[in-house]
Amino acid sequence: MSPTKVSLDFSSDEFLADPWNIYKELRRSDPVHWSSAFNAFLITRFEDVQELLSDRQVGSGFPMRSSRRLFGRTLLDTDGPRHRDLRKLFMPLFAGGSVKRLRTEILVPAVDQVLDSIEAEMGSRDEVDVEFMERVAVGVPYAMVTRLFGLPPEDAAWLRPRVLPLAGAIEFPATSLDSALTAKAELIEYLKDKLAARADGDRMPFLDLVFPPGEPVDESMLGTATLFLLAGTETSVATIGKIMYAVLAHDVELSTLADKDYRTQVVRETLRWEPPSHTILRYATTDLNLHGVDIPRRSALLLSLGSASRDENAFEDPDSWRPDRTDQRLLAFSAGPHTCLGIQLALAEFDTLFERLSHRFGGVRLGGSLDGIRQGFWRLRERGHIFRRPDHLHVRLERKADA
């Protein structure tokens, strides 16, 4: 019997609104799905995705890959010794001890900058309406990354319009590579200016690591620096939006997020239930056969983190959001040699934000008209596939009662 034909269009309204039923059918009937639209095999089962992420017969680097053409040979697009050398270079900044320090020096001030502005807007009122995606989900990662790079926090408003084309160029389907290259060139000139103006005593944690003070700027690493601007912002934008989405959808009291263990469970379960990135691109370095399907060497593989994270053979009741589940395996940060280098910093960012939200505000609920909002909430328009997030999320934050 031939596999059931499944319509797969990452940009369609049907898919953006509810990809989960499509994934489920693919896992059942066509787990190695050939997509002629993307000229790639889509892999949808948890066990297969996890195994291929660690398989040395599957590579990340490919000369014509959009990210390679945009950023050059970075961590994202290299394998073997060069990839290990690059990870070793960055590890001191993203190791556990460093993350603890960065939490105090960078994450807390970044979060407080955003929450201070909301409290100031609230004034003497008991509550304030906030467009959460723009004010918080965008505000916090950009406040964080400017501090991590040692850039003026007020430059965040200039940075984002130049980071977004980079994200678009590696989406499915991709936006203009030419626009992304133009934006990248502007970002590189901006970073070179900041490095040239660096003075003794200036603290630029990321840039100091990549471009040591007193040494000539290694221009081959400027593409890597722009990649980190993207990686440190837009994935976090999506994740923060998804965590608040989950909190609202499941009537979680903001005060309960003051408990660290529960907060950790909420973050991890949301990353499984609604991962911010649904697909990772890899390439077969040799001929493969998976579930009877021949995959020729150099074939593109779309490893579906979104589908794998809802695999009924890996997780009990996978479509339900259950922070208390004992199995909280994560693929949201990839796995194997290309596991996200910034995983500990990202988790600390999400933890810091929702901890401080729970301490500074008394509650959160959906904003806007309440007529039909609960029914419409589950159909929030989302966009993106590599950076999948709600377009908008209007919330109402309540003043915390005096102790």
Side-chain angles (χ1 to χ4, degrees), residues 15 20 37 45 56 64 78 104 107 137 140 202 206 233 251 254 268 294 339 359 361 368 375-376 390 397:
F15 184 84
W20 308 110
R45 292 180 180 171
R56 293 188 178 183
M64 295 309 293
T78 53
T104 300
L107 294 179
V140 167
D202 286 350
F206 179 86
T233 52
D251 298 315
L254 194 58
R268 292 185 65 88
D294 289 325
T339 299
H359 288 165
F361 296 93
Q375 292 85 350
L397 286 166

Side-chain angles (χ1 to χ4, degrees), residues 141-153:
Y142 278 85
M144 183 279 290
V145 87
T146 51
R147 287 169 169 80
L148 184 66
F149 274 61
L151 307 173

Side-chain angles (χ1 to χ4, degrees), residues 206-370:
F206 179 86
L207 294 179
D208 286 346
L209 185 68
V210 184
F211 308 101
E215 297 183 13
V217 171
D218 181 355
E219 298 209 0
S220 70
M221 293 297 290
L222 287 166
T224 292
T226 59
L227 172 63
F228 271 82
L229 280 174
L230 170 60
T233 52
E234 291 305 313
T235 305
S236 292
V237 171
T239 303
I240 291 168
K242 293 300 183 73
I243 296 170
M244 182 54 78
Y245 174 95
V247 165
L248 292 167
H250 298 91
D251 298 315
V252 173
E253 292 291 335
L254 194 58
S255 60
T256 64
L257 297 180
D259 181 272
K260 182 171 178 55
D261 289 341
Y262 181 63
R263 193 168 63 245
T264 297
Q265 291 176 312
V266 164
V267 169
R268 292 185 65 88
E269 173 66 351
T270 303
L271 284 164
R272 181 205 65 81
W273 181 68
E274 278 279 359
S277 180
H278 276 215
T279 298
I280 286 181
L281 178 61
R282 292 290 186 265
Y283 296 90
T285 61
T286 187
D287 292 342
L288 301 174
N289 184 282
L290 187 61
H291 299 299
V293 176
D294 289 325
I295 301 175
R297 177 174 175 265
R298 292 194 172 186
S299 295
L301 304 174
L302 298 175
L303 306 183
S304 179
L305 308 184
S307 175
S309 296
R310 296 273 191 111
D311 189 339
E312 49 283 315
N313 290 317
F315 301 100
E316 181 182 353
D317 189 17
D319 292 326
S320 294
W321 185 80
R322 291 168 39 190
D324 62 346
R325 75 170 64 241
T326 55
D327 184 356
Q328 286 197 326
R329 288 175 291 174
L330 279 185
L331 289 178
F333 294 96
S334 187
H338 280 269
T339 299
C340 175
L341 189 62
I343 180 173
Q344 296 303 324
L345 183 61
L347 289 172
E349 178 184 14
F350 310 144
D351 183 78
T352 301
L353 170 59
F354 285 90
E355 176 191 38
R356 297 186 82 76
L357 273 169
S358 72
H359 288 165
R360 296 182 62 166
F361 296 93
V364 61
R365 66 180 191 271
L366 284 169
S369 169
L370 297 180

Side-chain angles (χ1 to χ4, degrees), residues 55-163:
D55 194 334
R56 293 188 178 183
Q57 297 181 95
V58 175
S60 182
F62 193 75
M64 295 309 293
R65 185 175 177 177
S66 294
S67 53
R68 171 75 72 86
R69 295 161 65 192
L70 179 56
F71 298 111
R73 297 187 69 224
T74 67
L75 273 167
L76 190 64
D77 292 293
T78 53
D79 300 296
R82 177 170 172 79
H83 181 259
R84 290 192 292 271
D85 288 345
L86 285 170
R87 288 185 74 91
K88 190 181 299 183
L89 169 65
F90 294 111
M91 190 58 71
L93 188 61
F94 296 106
S98 178
V99 168
K100 288 182 180 179
R101 176 173 51 79
L102 292 175
R103 182 178 187 130
T104 300
E105 297 179 0
I106 288 177
L107 294 179
V108 169
V111 170
D112 283 348
Q113 173 192 327
V114 173
L115 299 188
D116 285 348
S117 71
I118 294 173
E119 283 195 332
E121 185 177 321
M122 180 184 287
S124 60
R125 291 173 292 164
D126 291 333
E127 56 189 24
V128 62
D129 288 330
V130 175
E131 209 307 287
F132 187 84
M133 290 306 298
E134 190 60 35
R135 291 288 297 280
V136 181
V138 171
V140 167
Y142 278 85
M144 183 279 290
V145 87
T146 51
R147 287 169 169 80
L148 184 66
F149 274 61
L151 307 173
E154 60 270 19
D155 285 3
W158 182 89
L159 286 169
R160 192 170 195 233
R162 288 151 184 87
V163 170

